Amino acid sequence: MDPRRGVLPDTDVLVRGATIESVGKQLRAPAHATVIDAAGALLLPGFVDTHRHMSETALRGVGADWTLGNYFQWMVQKWGPLMRPEDIYAADYMGMVDAVNDGVTTVTDWSYAMLTPEHADAAVDALTAVPGRARFAYGNGLAPDFGWVVDGRVDRMLKNRFTGRRDQLVTMQLAMDVNSPTDDARKALEFARDRDLPVTTHAGVFGFTGDAQIEFLAGTGSLSPSYTLVHAAALTDDAYRIIADSGAQISIAAESELNGGQGYPPTAKARRFGIPVSLSLDTVAWWSGDMFSMMRATLNADRGLAHLRAHEAGKAVENNALRAHDVLEYATMGGARALGLDRLIGSITPGKRADLVMLRTDTPAMTPTSNPVGQVVFQAGRGDVDTVMVDGRVLKHRGTLVGADLRRARRLIEESLEYLRSKIPDREWEQAMNPPPGATARY
Ligand SMILES: [Zn+2]
């Protein structure tokens, strides 16, 4: 993912402390160095997820058949408000362990359910308890307005928990769904600009937010390369032009958009208008926490639509426009760029932090390996993730977590699910997993 280097065969990587010191053939390691034999394996930069609602981890898998309307009806309106600070802690802790195990070395916790300052503290406690890299995107989307942004709790969090240095393992930004052009929203955006705090917003969601939101955000001077628009799917070309001119990023969650119905994954639009793309998985309440699925869903969506459009015109696509290399870039450097961390992570480059993922190639799924990038994208899975390093520290080795406590994570998340289930009527729980006709919420 370092364009000056490309894919290098038979190469060593020397890590000193938290940093990649050198990349080259037959490097001499210091006598005391730990040597990890990566012969025949693939080493890639860790994946970066730019949008994951980690508070929903206890409800993993329940939304397999949901549309976005179903998600709002159960997750946002009914279950989100049930979460106690300890539920947030358990969800974020398990979410971090899941991310590390899957090779997602940086995960953005799009924390829309920070009902009280105690909830936010619990999230940050959990994100820092597991030594992966995370971005705490502070949000309180269940509140009716943006008073929470300016009432002191965000400043307190910044002062007490964050140094402002980007090389902290956990950094902070704001997660705000600015849907209407209110004075409150204007003040909250101004607050973020004053403090140089990056912001992320769900945008271009069919039936929910459209061009007007993009025009409003641009009008306040808020859109910039540090602003990430999630989905950005159901928009007109005018809005994509505004986004491109501002330098803002989009986070595409293809599995979410294809199943939920927020809009079609806008990879072709991003290509046409030159908008930088990162990938995200949205929530494990629907699908898995790994980026292999996201890369595949992104390619499938882009190519499938191109073929369909061509066939409708009686033609065939000659060559696929979106390549495996492009989506691997979205999943690594693209994410690093969106989080303003591209000088620190996203590629295997001397001087950057050692956030690395080693995939085995002697598994049945990866043998033989002729096309490294193509096979990472279309063949590899979580079972091939052998070793994961974050900030120079080995957190998974030989397929086993060594720097994250899975047993504790499991105990906490099971206790949390037990509590949540005690608050959710059986009928509601059953209906949620098998949405009956007419059950979809209006929004
Ligand atoms: Zn989302």
Side-chain angles (χ1 to χ4, degrees), residues 76 80-81 110-117 119-120 136-149 151 153-154 173-177 200:
V76 178
W110 216 108
S111 276
Y112 71 87
M114 301 298 100
L115 295 167
T116 68
H119 286 72
F136 173 58
Y138 194 158
N140 186 11
L142 304 173
D145 57 36
F146 293 102
W148 64 272
V149 178
D151 72 3
R153 69 182 87 178
V154 173
Q173 66 168 83
L174 286 174
M176 309 193 294
D177 280 338
T200 173

Side-chain angles (χ1 to χ4, degrees), residues 51-53 71 110 112 177 202 230-231 253 256 262 282-283:
H51 151 241
R52 184 183 305 199
H53 305 295
Y71 172 79
W110 216 108
Y112 71 87
D177 280 338
H202 290 91
V230 172
H231 305 307
S256 182
Q262 292 90 331
D282 207 344
T283 169

Side-chain angles (χ1 to χ4, degrees), residues 6 43 55-56 66 72 96 106 109 133 164 194 204 223 239 245 263 308 336 370 382:
L43 193 71
S55 64
E56 298 169 357
W66 283 355
F72 273 108
M96 282 298 280
T106 302
D109 179 20
R133 203 177 293 280
D194 283 351
L223 289 187
D245 289 347
L308 180 67
S370 305
R382 284 175 288 182

Side-chain angles (χ1 to χ4, degrees), residues 16 19 24 53 67 94 104-105 205 318 355 359 421 441:
R16 194 185 291 269
T19 308
H53 305 295
T67 60
M94 184 72 234
V104 181
T105 52
V205 176
E318 199 171 321
D355 287 11
L359 302 179
R421 279 293 287 111

Side-chain angles (χ1 to χ4, degrees), residues 177-359:
D177 280 338
V178 183
N179 298 335
S180 324
T182 60
D183 279 347
D184 266 359
R186 237 179 276 274
K187 278 187 199 130
L189 290 165
E190 191 182 313
F191 176 97
R193 287 198 305 277
D194 283 351
R195 285 153 186 78
D196 225 0
L197 263 182
V199 180
T200 173
T201 297
H202 290 91
V205 176
F206 181 82
F208 200 57
T209 55
D211 284 19
Q213 179 196 38
I214 304 297
E215 286 157 16
F216 171 65
L217 291 172
T220 63
S222 296
L223 289 187
S224 73
S226 72
Y227 208 108
T228 299
L229 299 163
V230 172
H231 305 307
L235 297 169
T236 70
D237 287 356
D238 288 340
Y240 288 114
R241 222 166 271 125
I242 294 172
I243 296 170
D245 289 347
S246 73
Q249 320 268 337
I250 61 176
S251 172
I252 296 180
E255 276 194 314
S256 182
E257 289 130 24
L258 292 170
N259 288 278
Q262 292 90 331
Y264 207 82
T267 38
K269 296 289 185 187
R271 219 167 28 246
R272 184 162 142 222
F273 292 97
I275 301 168
V277 175
S278 65
L279 300 188
S280 61
L281 73 91
D282 207 344
T283 169
V284 298
W286 253 299
W287 30 78
S288 80
D290 76 275
M291 293 295 272
F292 300 106
S293 309
M294 297 309 130
M295 291 192 291
R296 277 173 214 157
T298 307
L299 275 181
N300 294 343
D302 190 276
R303 293 174 177 180
L305 184 64
H307 290 300
L308 180 67
R309 291 273 178 271
H311 296 174
E312 283 167 350
K315 295 182 196 152
V317 173
E318 199 171 321
N319 288 300
N320 287 316
L322 190 67
R323 302 298 170 101
H325 185 276
D326 297 327
V327 294
L328 187 56
E329 209 267 351
Y330 295 167
T332 53
M333 274 307 294
R337 209 178 294 123
L339 299 180
L341 300 177
D342 43 320
R343 289 198 189 152
L344 211 63
I345 55 169
S347 63
I348 307 178
T349 302
K352 284 196 179 183
R353 293 308 170 104
D355 287 11
L356 305 169
V357 172
M358 191 174 106
L359 302 179

